[in-house]
Amino acid sequence: MSLQESDARSLGNRFSTEEDTANIHHGNTKNQPKTKYENAFHQILAALKKQLKQSHFKFSVAGEESQFTRFNGAKVRQTGQVCDSKMTLTLISEESISERISSAESTATKPTLKEESSLAELEAGYRTTTLSLPFVGEFETDWQSLKPALESLQTELINLPIDPYVVLPSADDRTPRAHHSREIYAGKLLQPSQLIEALLSPVQSLDFSGLYAGGQAYRGYADSAGKQHWFETPSFTLDYSLFEQVGESKAAVKGTLAGHQWTQNDYEQSIATAQEQLTMSARARKQLQKGRYSTYLAPAAVADIIDTIACGGGLGEAALRQGNSPFSRLEKGEAVLSSQFSLGEDFQRVGRPRFNADGEIAPMQLPVVQHGRWVEALVNGRSEQEYGKPSNGANGAEALRAASVAPGNLPEKDVLRALDTGLYVSNVHYLNWSDLTAGHITGMTRYACFWVENGEVIAPIENLRFDDDLYRFLGEGLIALTDRQTFVPAVGTYERRSLGGMWVPGMLINDFRYTL
Amino acid sequence: MIGQLTAALEQIDIPADWIGIRAMQEVSSYRAMRDGYPQQNRRELNRGAMVEVLAAGQFGYSATNHLTAQSLRQAAQKAYEQAIAASQWAVHHFTQTVRPAIKGSYRSPYAKPFDSLSVSEINDLLRRLCDRLKVSAAIVRTSAIARIHEIDTWFVSSNGSEVHQRLNLIEGHLGAIAQAPGVTQSRSDNGYLARSYQGGWERFLDDTLWARAERIGQQAVALLSAPNCPNEATTLVLAPDQMMLQLHESVGHPIELDRILGDERNYAGGSFVKPADFGQLVYGSPLMNVTFDATLAGELASYEFDDTGTPADKAYLIREGVLQRGLGGLESQERLGVPGVACTRACSWNRPAIDRMANINLEPGETDFDTMISRIESGVYMESNRSWSIDDQRHKFQFGCEYARKIENGQLTTLLKNPNYRSTTTQFWQNLDQVGNHHSLKVYGTPYCGKGEPNQLIRVGHASPACAFKNIEVFGGVS
C-alpha cells in the first residue's frame, strides 16, 4: 500500500498562472469596466479630496458578496448569502510649534516667555484617527454617512496625543511604478441554484461535511498623496472532510479546492483522491506511545506550522524589537536553521492584493530566511518610522501574506521510502506556541495520519500531541523537503473570506517530539 | 427601529413559512497605547441585517448592510431562494417551533457611561498606565488597551417576535514584556483582554487598576530570574483567570450540541461526548458544578434572549460531576433529542446563529483560598493563560500560563516561569479535589471564541473560583 502525495489540497485550480501574472503587470486589466463598488470608491475619493483639501488622509474599502453553504452528512446544514463591506478613513493632522503658539494666542491667553519656551521644546508631530463605516457601493448613500462623520473625526483629532510613528501618505520616489495598481480577475463560479446539486450529487454515498464559500471580493486604497489601488476577484474555497465509521470512532480525511473558476471535474477528482485516503484510514488504529518519531509532514500540515510561526507577526520588525518574536536568535545570528530551509513571500501565484493599509506595494518576492539564515524582517511603514529600517510593504501585523517555502530535492514518490519507519502526518490541528520566545510549538495530529514501517503504510494512528522546538525541527532535525510545492489555500472566513494561500513542500523531520 | 423592521417585514411578499429579521448596530471605539504612545485610535460603526426565511422545512439566509425596505425585501427573496434550493438536501426538516414568538428587551447594567471620559482623557489614562507598567528598565514593552462597544440588536419575525437588546461592553488589557540577556517574560492583566465585561467605565476604572498595573510590571521583571516550572506529576492549583480557559476549552466546547451532531467537525472538530452521555457521563468529581448563566449581571455574555428569540436563564450543565445538558439551542435540541439552553448566537448581523457558549461558570464550593493551599504538601499554583491547544475531540489538551508559584508544605513559595500542564479532559476533571468558595470567585471574559463555518468570533464570559486538581503533569520550558 502506498500514499499518493498529491493530496486533495493540491488539486484545486490555481489562482493565477505565470501568464496571468504577466497580464496583470502589463496592465491588460485596465480596460475592464469598473464595477459599482469601484465606481463608488472613486466617487467618494473625489468628494474626499474636495472636502479635505490639503489634509492628509487614507481611504480604503474591503468587501464581498458571498455565498456560504455548510454541509453535514452530505446534506445542507445552513445556506445563505452575505453582502458586506466597510470603508475606512484615516485622518492625519500636523501640529507645528507655530500652530500651537498661535492656538494659544487665539484663546487670548498669550503664553508667557516661560510657556513659549516650554512649547518650543515640544516637537511638532502628527495626530491620527481612523473611522470605519458600512460601504454599500452607492455614492449617495455612502457619502451621506461619511460626510457628517468628517467633522467629528476632525474634532477628535485635535484632542488626541501626538503619534510619533504616523505613516504619512506619500508618493515615495523609491517605488514610482507602485503608486497605482488595478487588478481585476475574471472567473466563473457556481450559481446558488446549481451549487448544492453540483457538490452533493457526487458524494451521496459518503459522509461529507464542509463549507463552500465563494463570490466577488474587492479591496481598494487611495490617499491624499495620490496613491490608488484596486483589486477585485471572484473566488471560491471549498474546505471539506470525508468520514467513515470505524468501530467507535470515525476515520477522516481533509480536502480543499480554491480558485477563480469552478471545475466540476477537479472537484470530483479531489473527492476520488480523498476517498482513496479514507479507505486507508478506515482500519484499526495504532496507539502510539509518546516519544520521538521520524515524521513526514504533508504540505497541508507544513502550511499550518508556517501559518503559526510566520503569519502571526513573529517575522516582523516590531515583534523582534519588542521582545515578542521566536526568531530573535535567528535574526541575531545566534542560531541557524537547516540550510535546506528558505521562507519568504511570493505574490506571483496567490491571488491576493500586494498593497497594504498605507498603499505600499510589497515586492513580488521577498526572502526572509534563506538557506537557514536570516535575510530581513517584514517591515511596514510604522516600523520604518519607529526603528529606521526601510519598509518592504508589510501589512499592519507584519505577517506573511503570501508565504512560500522553497522546495527541496526529495521526489514525492520517494517520501515513504525516505521516511522508512515513522509517522506520515497529513494534517495538524490547533497549533499554538508552548513557549513563544523559545520557539516551542505544540499541536495535534488530525485526519489521515499513518504509522509507516520499512516504507510501507501499516495503520492509521490515534491522534498525538506534539511539542517541539522550531530551531530543532527546522534545523538539524530537517532531513528533506519534497521537490514540489503545493498550493494550500487560505480558507478562513473570520470577518470576511480570506484570499490567497501559501506554497509549501512536504517536510521530512527526524525525531519529531510527541508528548501525549 | 422595531417599527421600521416590522413595516419592512410586512412588505415582504414571499410564500415562506416564517421570516425573521435580525438587525444590528455596533458602535465601537478602540484605544491603545504602547510604551506611552498612541497605537490605535479607531472608531467603527457596523450595521446590517440578517434576513432568515423558513420554507419547505429549510432555513435560508441573506444578510445585507444596506438597511432600506427595498434591500430587506431583496434579501428576503434571496433567502427564500436559498431555502428552496436546499430543501431537498436538508439535514433536518424544521418548523417554526424553533423560532418561538417572543416580545421583550434587555439592557446591560452600567454605572459610569462611556461618554463620561473624553478621548483625550482615555488616551491620557492609557499613557499613565503604560508609565505605571514600566517599573524598571528591564521592561521593554508596555501596552494598555480600552475598547468599548454599544450594540443594539432588534429582532422581529412573522410570528410576532419583537425583541430589542442593548449591550454596553468594555474590554480592557494591560501587558508588560521584560527582558534580560537570554530571557524574555510577559505578564498581563489576567490574560489578553480577559477583563471584558458588560457595563461602563466603572468596570475599567476600579479601585485595583493602578496597583494591578504596577504588579504586572513587577511580576514580569521577577519572572526573568525565576526557575522554570518543574517537570512532575503534582497537585495543580489554577487561579480563576486560568480556570476561565480550562472551562472554556474542556467543558464548554465538548458539550456543544452542534459539535456532537457533526456540524462543526470539518472546522473546530467534534466531541468525545455522545448523545447518550447526557444524564449519565461522570465528567468530573462530585465537586464539579458548571452552569450556563445568562443572568449574571456584568458578565460579558449575559442576555435575555438568544439570537433566535429563545428566552435565556440559568441552568446546570454539570451537577455534582454528572453531565446534565448540552450547549445547544432549539434546532440542535430537536435534532439530537437532548436538553440544551438558549445559546443560538451569531457574532454579528452578517453570520447565521449557531450553538455557542455564553456565560459558562463553575459554581463556587466551600474552601477559602488560604485553606486550599494549606492542605497541599507539594504542588504548583498557576495564573493567567498564555498558551492553549486541544485536539479536535476535546480530549487531549496542553495549556500554559504566565506565572506560577511552588506550593510547599501548605505555603506558596518559589516563583516559577514558563508553567504548563497537560492532561485529558475527563481524567483532569475527575481529579478536581478542591473548589474555592465565593471569596475567590472571579468573573472574566473573552471577545475571541472562534467557531463556525463561515467563521465567527463571539464574546463569552467565564466565572470561577480557584480550584485544585490532583496528580496533574506539569512542566516548564528550556532553562
Side-chain angles (χ1 to χ4, degrees):
Chain A
M1 185 178 288
S2 65
L3 285 166
Q4 295 292 319
E5 171 57 25
S6 53
D7 66 11
R9 282 181 182 257
S10 65
L11 293 171
N13 27 14
R14 292 172 184 167
F15 267 99
S16 62
T17 62
E18 295 293 337
E19 189 180 343
D20 293 335
T21 308
N23 285 341
I24 289 162
H25 290 285
H26 290 107
N28 279 3
T29 58
K30 69 183 176 186
N31 294 325
Q32 292 271 353
K34 289 189 177 79
T35 61
K36 76 165 190 172
Y37 298 110
E38 191 180 5
N39 263 326
F41 172 75
H42 283 285
Q43 287 175 293
I44 295 169
L45 178 62
L48 278 172
K49 284 180 175 171
K50 194 173 171 187
Q51 190 78 21
L52 294 172
K53 297 189 172 65
Q54 301 304 311
S55 300
H56 300 294
F57 73 87
K58 301 173 193 174
F59 178 65
S60 63
V61 301
E64 66 184 22
E65 291 178 352
S66 293
Q67 169 76 34
F68 295 115
T69 303
R70 189 180 205 191
F71 304 99
N72 182 11
K75 294 181 183 300
V76 175
R77 172 63 188 99
Q78 287 175 314
T79 184
Q81 295 180 328
V82 173
C83 183
D84 187 17
S85 181
K86 70 178 177 185
M87 54 185 171
T88 299
L89 177 67
T90 296
L91 287 189
I92 301 165
S93 80
E94 183 175 13
E95 183 188 55
S96 66
I97 300 162
S98 59
E99 281 172 340
R100 179 167 270 218
I101 292 171
S102 162
S103 166
E105 285 174 339
S106 70
T107 58
T109 53
K110 191 174 179 180
T112 62
L113 277 177
K114 187 178 175 186
E115 284 168 336
E116 258 186 47
S117 167
S118 170
L119 286 167
E121 286 169 11
L122 292 171
E123 289 184 14
Y126 296 94
R127 295 169 159 82
T128 181
T129 186
T130 297
L131 176 70
S132 295
L133 296 170
F135 173 71
V136 300
E138 292 175 5
F139 172 71
E140 292 75 17
T141 305
D142 292 325
W143 184 242
Q144 199 172 25
S145 64
L146 185 56
K147 188 181 175 189
L150 295 177
E151 192 176 336
S152 74
L153 269 180
Q154 285 164 329
T155 303
E156 173 165 316
L157 207 50
I158 58 176
N159 288 302
L160 292 174
I162 286 169
D163 179 349
Y165 310 124
V166 162
V167 182
L168 288 176
S170 73
D172 193 325
D173 288 334
R174 283 178 307 182
T175 54
R177 292 177 58 204
H179 297 160
H180 292 77
S181 69
R182 185 167 184 259
E183 291 183 48
I184 312 283
Y185 287 79
K188 190 173 181 188
L189 305 180
L190 284 166
Q191 292 301 306
S193 58
Q194 310 167 310
L195 189 153
I196 294 169
E197 181 155 9
L199 267 74
L200 291 187
S201 287
V203 295
Q204 279 309 287
S205 62
L206 302 170
D207 186 356
F208 168 94
S209 292
L211 178 74
Y212 172 93
Q216 201 71 6
Y218 51 91
R219 310 282 188 267
Y221 173 89
D223 62 33
S224 51
K227 286 203 192 88
Q228 274 185 38
H229 303 290
W230 186 260
F231 178 95
E232 186 159 353
T233 184
S235 65
F236 78 91
T237 58
L238 173 66
D239 179 10
Y240 72 88
S241 306
L242 298 181
F243 299 88
E244 186 171 328
Q245 193 75 38
V246 183
E248 290 197 351
S249 57
K250 284 198 170 183
V253 298
K254 163 72 77 177
T256 53
L257 284 170
H260 302 299
Q261 182 151 323
W262 179 264
T263 307
Q264 187 70 12
N265 189 52
D266 283 355
Y267 169 58
E268 291 179 12
Q269 183 59 48
S270 172
I271 293 290
T273 306
Q275 263 187 285
E276 287 174 21
Q277 281 211 338
L278 187 63
T279 302
M280 296 172 62
S281 301
R283 293 181 290 151
R285 292 187 194 174
K286 185 177 177 67
Q287 181 110 34
L288 292 171
Q289 296 300 306
K290 63 184 180 183
R292 290 185 179 274
Y293 298 104
S294 291
T295 297
Y296 174 71
L297 297 172
V302 172
D304 276 350
I305 289 176
I306 296 300
D307 190 57
T308 300
I309 68 174
C311 298
L315 296 169
E317 186 67 18
L320 287 161
R321 299 285 77 81
Q322 294 167 25
N324 225 2
S325 169
F327 294 103
S328 179
R329 282 188 286 152
L330 189 66
E331 188 225 8
K332 289 175 183 166
E334 296 169 1
V336 293
L337 300 175
S338 165
S339 61
Q340 300 177 80
F341 183 72
S342 295
L343 171 67
E345 281 200 302
D346 186 349
F347 280 91
Q348 285 190 96
R349 300 176 292 171
V350 296
R352 65 173 298 167
R354 275 198 293 150
F355 56 87
N356 67 9
D358 297 319
E360 298 172 314
I361 296 269
M364 190 62 82
Q365 291 170 314
L366 180 75
V368 176
V369 178
Q370 205 154 31
H371 302 304
R373 295 186 181 276
W374 187 260
V375 179
E376 66 174 301
L378 297 169
V379 186
N380 62 25
R382 191 168 180 86
S383 286
E384 176 176 316
Q385 295 294 319
E386 184 165 2
Y387 304 113
K389 284 201 175 173
S391 169
N392 49 31
N395 66 1
E398 296 183 331
L400 285 178
R401 288 172 287 164
S404 174
V405 176
N409 299 314
L410 177 63
E412 289 180 351
K413 64 181 175 52
D414 294 338
V415 162
L416 293 180
R417 183 185 55 74
L419 175 60
D420 189 38
T421 296
L423 284 165
Y424 182 104
V425 175
S426 294
N427 299 85
V428 290
H429 174 67
Y430 217 133
L431 273 59
N432 207 331
W433 296 104
S434 51
D435 189 337
L436 172 72
T437 51
H440 289 217
I441 190 168
T442 188
M444 293 295 303
T445 63
R446 193 180 187 189
Y447 291 109
C449 298
F450 301 95
W451 176 248
V452 175
E453 284 183 11
N454 302 317
E456 291 290 322
V457 173
I458 302 299
I461 61 160
E462 291 286 350
N463 282 323
L464 289 168
R465 169 165 298 287
F466 63 87
D467 190 334
D468 210 338
D469 172 359
L470 77 86
Y471 285 97
R472 195 205 68 76
F473 72 79
L474 294 179
E476 62 185 18
L478 180 58
I479 299 169
L481 296 144
T482 56
D483 60 0
R484 187 173 76 87
Q485 291 174 303
T486 295
F487 180 68
V488 180
V491 296
T493 48
Y494 286 110
E495 191 173 11
R496 63 178 67 90
R497 285 185 290 119
S498 297
L499 299 174
M502 65 176 80
W503 287 90
V504 292
M507 280 184 186
L508 190 59
I509 292 167
N510 191 30
D511 285 343
F512 203 49
R513 181 169 171 257
Y514 296 89
T515 57
L516 188 64
Chain B
M1 180 62 101
I2 289 283
Q4 291 172 41
L5 293 176
T6 305
L9 191 63
E10 286 169 357
Q11 290 179 36
I12 295 171
D13 183 20
I14 52 173
D17 299 320
W18 179 90
I19 306 168
I21 304 176
R22 174 169 50 84
M24 201 201 81
Q25 173 174 288
E26 180 167 359
V27 179
S28 303
S29 68
Y30 302 82
R31 314 282 176 193
M33 285 269 175
R34 180 176 63 77
D35 298 322
Y37 294 113
Q39 190 80 352
Q40 187 178 45
N41 275 292
R42 182 168 73 86
R43 290 184 289 142
E44 179 163 1
L45 167 66
N46 184 9
R47 185 168 55 202
M50 167 65 72
V51 181
E52 196 184 25
V53 166
L54 177 65
Q58 171 72 39
F59 285 103
Y61 65 83
S62 180
T64 175
N65 64 351
H66 202 182
L67 290 183
T68 62
Q70 186 187 357
S71 269
L72 294 172
R73 274 201 308 277
Q74 289 169 346
Q77 180 64 36
K78 288 179 184 172
Y80 175 75
E81 289 165 6
Q82 293 276 327
I84 294 299
S87 59
Q88 64 173 307
W89 307 92
V91 76
H92 185 83
H93 188 94
F94 289 110
T95 66
Q96 61 176 287
T97 57
V98 295
R99 297 290 185 274
I102 197 80
K103 292 191 178 185
S105 64
Y106 170 80
R107 190 178 180 108
S108 297
Y110 68 94
K112 198 170 171 56
F114 291 143
D115 61 4
S116 62
L117 262 67
S118 68
V119 291
S120 59
E121 287 171 324
I122 298 168
N123 275 270
D124 187 54
L125 170 69
L126 298 177
R127 180 189 59 74
R128 287 187 291 126
L129 283 165
C130 284
D131 290 347
R132 188 65 68 96
L133 286 158
K134 192 169 175 65
V135 295
S136 82
I139 300 287
V140 296
R141 184 185 198 275
T142 61
S143 63
I145 299 171
R147 310 188 334 184
I148 58 179
H149 311 273
E150 295 167 280
I151 305 172
D152 286 285
T153 307
W154 301 270
F155 177 63
V156 300
S157 69
S158 57
N159 59 339
S161 285
E162 290 181 5
V163 173
H164 175 218
Q165 302 196 87
R166 174 74 183 267
L167 305 180
N168 282 18
L169 311 178
I170 184 157
E171 301 159 350
H173 175 75
L174 304 173
I177 298 177
Q179 272 190 333
V183 57
T184 301
Q185 287 291 306
S186 301
R187 195 74 175 103
S188 70
D189 202 11
N190 305 109
Y192 184 65
L193 289 173
R195 288 185 168 266
S196 293
Y197 300 103
Q198 289 190 16
W201 277 109
E202 73 279 2
R203 291 285 181 181
F204 190 97
L205 294 164
D206 74 11
D207 295 341
T208 65
L209 176 64
W210 297 100
R212 290 202 319 270
E214 191 161 340
R215 188 170 64 242
I216 288 163
Q218 289 168 342
Q219 290 184 345
V221 173
L223 283 165
L224 293 173
S225 51
N228 270 307
C229 178
N231 302 340
E232 61 185 2
T234 190
T235 297
L236 172 64
V237 177
L238 296 181
D241 59 6
Q242 175 61 17
M243 284 299 298
M244 168 170 72
L245 187 280
Q246 186 68 51
L247 273 171
H248 183 94
E249 301 289 3
S250 71
V251 179
H253 282 307
I255 65 172
E256 287 165 341
L257 298 189
D258 61 347
R259 291 182 74 115
I260 297 167
L261 282 159
D263 294 347
E264 190 67 26
R265 59 194 165 145
N266 180 61
Y267 180 56
S271 176
F272 69 88
V273 175
K274 306 287 185 288
D277 288 339
F278 291 94
Q280 304 291 326
L281 178 67
V282 178
Y283 208 103
S285 83
L287 297 173
M288 184 185 188
N289 290 288
V290 178
T291 54
F292 168 89
D293 189 357
T295 69
L296 193 62
E299 195 165 5
L300 188 60
S302 291
Y303 50 81
E304 196 78 23
F305 309 96
D306 74 8
D307 286 324
T308 62
T310 310
D313 212 333
K314 177 174 179 174
Y316 274 80
L317 303 168
I318 295 170
R319 191 189 283 271
E320 295 179 353
V322 178
L323 181 63
Q324 304 293 314
R325 61 177 61 228
L327 286 168
L330 295 180
E331 290 183 29
S332 294
Q333 291 171 44
E334 182 175 300
R335 288 168 64 199
L336 201 57
V338 302
V341 293
C343 65
T344 312
R345 306 175 64 205
C347 65
S348 189
W349 61 268
N350 60 8
R351 292 289 182 266
I354 57 175
D355 293 343
R356 299 305 304 246
M357 282 178 246
N359 296 329
I360 308 299
N361 304 334
L362 186 79
E363 296 296 309
E366 303 295 329
T367 311
D368 71 72
F369 182 73
D370 290 343
T371 303
M372 180 184 293
I373 298 298
S374 72
R375 290 172 177 165
I376 298 168
E377 188 179 329
S378 177
V380 174
Y381 165 76
M382 297 187 191
E383 283 183 9
S384 307
N385 182 259
R386 77 169 192 186
S387 174
W388 62 100
S389 176
I390 188 165
D391 70 44
D392 66 340
Q393 300 302 305
R394 298 278 146 175
H395 182 56
K396 294 180 178 180
F397 63 78
Q398 176 173 311
F399 302 143
C401 292
E402 295 175 353
Y403 175 94
R405 301 274 296 273
K406 258 187 187 174
I407 304 171
E408 296 172 295
N409 302 316
Q411 305 259 323
L412 290 172
T413 60
T414 313
L415 180 65
L416 302 169
K417 71 182 178 191
N418 301 327
N420 300 272
Y421 62 100
R422 57 172 81 100
S423 187
T424 55
T425 295
T426 51
Q427 179 187 10
F428 182 84
W429 283 103
Q430 286 169 12
N431 286 0
L432 175 63
D433 186 46
Q434 297 188 70
V435 177
N437 63 13
H438 66 280
H439 290 299
S440 75
L441 185 130
K442 303 281 185 201
V443 181
Y444 299 107
T446 175
Y448 295 125
C449 175
K451 187 185 165 186
E453 292 170 313
N455 303 152
Q456 305 191 39
L457 282 176
I458 212 161
R459 299 180 176 96
V460 298
H462 297 297
S464 176
C467 291
F469 301 83
K470 288 196 297 190
N471 195 28
I472 305 298
E473 183 185 354
V474 304
F475 62 100
V478 179
S479 297

